[in-house]
Amino acid sequence: MQPGSTLTHLDTSGAANMVDVTDKPATDRTARAEGSVVMRPETLALIREGDAKKGDVIGTARLAGIMAAKRTHELIPLCHPLLLSKVRVECEPDDALPGLRIAAEVRVQGPTGVEMEALTAVSVACLTVYDMVKAVDRGMRIEGIRLVAKDGGRSGAYRAPAAREAP
């Protein structure tokens, strides 16, 4: 924990509660998250060629991530429902993994941040990739899901260290 910080989702008795954002000003807030799905080179080739039995893997994963960001409050018990102004999900093939690198950016003008929405978008997009090609590669790994950056709000900006530097 950061010095001087407290767990805001716990009340004085230690019980979980939803943070009261009634008196917080609405400000522009942005969060970016990333993750990857590591797979066999043959699986990545199948995705690139559009020959997966279930259809367009990248397009479906992108759409699933966008939909998931919009429903984060239904999945994470103490998240506030937010009127998101932007959700962008990118799924890029990477031969070096081999696999797909997935990134999400979420924006809102509101009293609370969108870190959980960005993380949820990436997580569900990764799971969608796995689901769509698991018939040919059950050994895929979902890795490195993390918050990359956030802006706005009382706590200010955050930038994650480069992936190789992360603890």
Side-chain angles (χ1 to χ4, degrees), residues 37-40 43-44 46-47 51-55 57 126-142:
V37 184
V38 180
M39 60 193 65
R40 295 189 329 241
T43 308
L44 181 57
L46 186 74
I47 291 169
D51 290 336
K53 195 171 190 176
K54 290 187 177 184
V57 175
C126 287
L127 289 167
T128 299
V129 169
Y130 187 95
D131 178 57
M132 292 189 73
V133 292
K134 68 180 182 273
V136 297
D137 190 354
R138 293 203 188 269
M140 288 178 288
R141 296 184 320 273
I142 295 172

Side-chain angles (χ1 to χ4, degrees), residues 82-98:
L82 300 173
L83 185 57
L84 302 179
S85 54
K86 177 182 182 175
V87 179
R88 185 181 73 219
V89 176
E90 297 173 349
C91 304
E92 297 293 330
D94 184 343
D95 292 323
L97 285 174

Side-chain angles (χ1 to χ4, degrees), residues 34 85 96 98 115 121 125 149:
E34 69 180 12
S85 54
E115 298 94 74

Side-chain angles (χ1 to χ4, degrees), residues 1-48:
M1 271 179 35
Q2 301 294 331
S5 64
T6 60
L7 298 175
T8 57
H9 285 85
L10 300 178
D11 66 16
T12 55
S13 69
N17 75 41
M18 185 179 234
V19 174
D20 184 355
V21 296
T22 305
D23 296 326
K24 291 177 75 179
T27 60
D28 291 331
R29 296 159 186 265
T30 303
R32 291 188 307 278
E34 69 180 12
S36 60
V37 184
V38 180
M39 60 193 65
R40 295 189 329 241
E42 302 81 20
T43 308
L44 181 57
L46 186 74
I47 291 169
R48 273 197 166 120

Side-chain angles (χ1 to χ4, degrees), residues 90-156:
E90 297 173 349
C91 304
E92 297 293 330
D94 184 343
D95 292 323
L97 285 174
L100 294 175
R101 292 194 182 276
I102 299 177
E105 179 180 2
V106 180
R107 298 189 68 188
V108 72
Q109 184 173 55
T112 189
V114 286
E115 298 94 74
M116 294 308 300
E117 287 74 9
L119 289 162
T120 300
V122 169
S123 299
V124 170
C126 287
L127 289 167
T128 299
V129 169
Y130 187 95
D131 178 57
M132 292 189 73
V133 292
K134 68 180 182 273
V136 297
D137 190 354
R138 293 203 188 269
M140 288 178 288
R141 296 184 320 273
I142 295 172
E143 296 182 348
I145 296 174
R146 68 184 189 131
L147 180 68
V148 175
K150 74 145 255 1
D151 289 296
R154 185 173 37 203
S155 65

